[in-house]
Amino acid sequence: MLNAPTISVIMPSYNVASTVLRAIDSVLAQSYENFELLIVNDASTDDTEAVVKDKLAAVPDHRLRLITLPANVGLSGARNAGLDAAAGEFVTFLDADDEYLPEFLQTMAGEMAGDVDIAVAGHMVVRPDGSQAPRHSRFLGECSGEQAMRHAMSDRLTPFTWDKLYRASLFAGVRYPVGSTRFEDMTVNIILYPRARKIRSVERPMHRYYISAQSLTWGRIPTRSDTDLALRDLDALLPQRLRSGSNGRFYASMRLLITLITAQSAIMKLKNQPAAQETIDDCRRALTFRQIALTTLTRPPFAAAALLLKVFPRPFAALYIRHSAASYGLAQ
């Protein structure tokens, strides 16, 4: 393609009429100009499509394109539609309720020098009261793709899609699992990392992530079945050798972490939605002492937290509620 963009920014959008313009404007404000923005309207039932069309009419820019899906396919399906349409050498994702800081694309493109195939940025967490706090991966620097996979499995690299820039060729034969509502970004990252020659993780915050109690992540009671599609996809696409042998303890840690996060999400809903107790009980049953033992070899604090959840769930819940209030500004 002549004059193809270097970077494709994919923005899945569903019922985000109140925030999508902020997200679009943050892309237009980038210091790096050779990009395309693919706004994927996932059959929104609010004014999202009209708001975006008005914006495109008011600010004509050949780099902006609206893709409207005929039926709602969920976050994974919307990301896949963007991937199918993307023309850039690199691809990144921006949720329509978040925003980039002005140097995101410029800085991330610079980090892709040489044989780096994935760059990971820091970000600012924006709490419901407007206060902000920086957050970044525990691992900073450069490593091989398989090392990055192990870092991700033990939560040393952020599990998100939106704080990364990927070489688009990594997605050959890989798409987000349609229908999955949790952990699809974590599992797809773990599939992609071993395909990468090198990844580079930096501390500098270049993205604002807005916490909202009404979002898909924070606003619903999760269930263990929410993870099934993502984990089945991971097992199908990640070679067996990367899930066993010396990697087995990292894989066990990842599965334990997913169970912990699911229980934590349910705890935040327990006060107003008693049905969340079923998810907590299910997570406690799913945690095995073998999983906990293996995780002591990779992330001892996670092993201790899992043991506390399994044996003493009330103290675990109290500690997590305090942590959530301090870190994210969310109350139960």
Side-chain angles (χ1 to χ4, degrees):
M1 179 185 296
L2 295 176
N3 301 317
T6 302
I7 299 176
S8 296
V9 180
I10 297 170
M11 184 185 297
S13 304
Y14 177 70
N15 289 356
V16 287
S18 63
T19 61
V20 67
L21 292 183
R22 180 181 67 197
I24 292 171
D25 286 341
S26 78
V27 180
L28 292 173
Q30 291 296 295
S31 58
Y32 187 92
E33 297 183 348
N34 191 18
F35 66 82
E36 64 174 351
L37 172 59
L38 305 173
I39 306 158
V40 184
N41 173 32
D42 188 19
S44 294
T45 58
D46 70 351
D47 293 332
T48 295
E49 183 174 18
V51 167
V52 173
K53 284 183 174 179
D54 287 347
K55 177 70 173 180
L56 270 56
V59 186
D61 190 321
H62 71 279
R63 299 174 299 176
L64 275 58
R65 179 153 45 118
L66 173 63
I67 300 171
T68 296
L69 302 181
N72 180 263
V73 293
L75 180 59
S76 288
R79 286 175 177 161
N80 292 343
L83 283 169
D84 292 342
E89 178 184 0
F90 305 109
V91 63
T92 186
F93 301 85
L94 176 63
D95 289 349
D97 54 356
D98 293 337
E99 63 181 327
Y100 288 149
L101 296 176
E103 300 297 320
F104 180 90
L105 294 181
Q106 184 76 49
T107 303
M108 298 295 273
E111 297 297 339
M112 300 294 280
D115 54 359
V116 173
D117 290 327
I118 302 175
V120 186
H123 60 274
M124 299 297 296
V125 174
V126 184
R127 304 183 183 96
D129 64 2
S131 62
Q132 301 185 41
R135 184 170 63 172
H136 55 77
S137 296
R138 290 175 175 84
F139 171 78
L140 297 172
E142 191 172 289
C143 67
S144 71
E146 289 198 14
Q147 287 172 325
M149 178 201 73
R150 290 189 284 272
H151 286 316
M153 285 180 172
S154 51
D155 196 41
R156 290 186 171 89
L157 281 171
T158 57
F160 316 117
T161 289
W162 41 257
D163 61 352
K164 296 173 178 65
L165 181 66
Y166 305 87
R167 196 171 298 275
S169 58
L170 295 178
F171 282 94
V174 176
R175 289 294 186 267
Y176 290 89
V178 176
S180 179
T181 56
R182 290 295 301 270
F183 307 110
E184 75 290 337
D185 45 0
M186 176 193 290
T187 55
V188 168
N189 281 331
I190 288 170
I191 291 166
L192 295 179
Y193 282 136
R195 296 175 167 221
R197 293 166 296 175
K198 289 184 179 178
I199 73 100
R200 184 172 291 141
S201 174
V202 299
E203 179 177 356
R204 181 181 173 186
M206 288 176 281
H207 175 285
R208 286 195 183 97
Y209 169 61
Y210 286 81
I211 300 290
S212 170
Q214 287 72 48
S215 70
L216 183 63
T217 298
W218 300 96
R220 60 185 295 273
I221 301 176
T223 65
R224 287 260 307 149
S225 63
D226 286 339
T227 70
D228 289 348
L229 275 172
L231 288 174
R232 283 201 297 269
D233 203 54
L234 178 63
D235 288 347
L237 294 175
L238 191 69
Q240 175 65 29
R241 69 176 183 84
L242 299 177
R243 294 182 277 122
S244 59
S246 61
N247 291 312
R249 64 183 186 273
F250 295 98
Y251 190 70
S253 297
M254 180 209 66
R255 296 187 74 101
L256 178 144
L257 176 60
I258 285 175
T259 303
L260 272 179
I261 294 172
T262 302
Q264 289 165 356
S265 298
I267 285 168
M268 295 306 297
K269 296 287 171 285
L270 187 57
K271 183 176 181 180
N272 299 315
Q273 302 181 54
Q277 184 64 53
E278 184 178 345
T279 292
I280 298 169
D281 294 340
D282 192 20
C283 289
R284 292 179 62 212
R285 287 190 293 269
L287 289 169
T288 68
F289 289 109
R290 181 177 184 277
Q291 242 182 6
I292 293 170
L294 287 172
T295 303
T296 62
L297 303 174
T298 58
R299 290 302 301 276
F302 288 170
L307 186 61
L308 184 63
L309 171 62
K310 189 168 184 68
V311 181
F312 300 111
R314 288 184 181 275
F316 176 89
L319 287 171
Y320 182 71
I321 290 168
R322 289 174 57 188
H323 166 75
S324 184
S327 299
Y328 305 115
L330 292 173
Q332 187 184 31

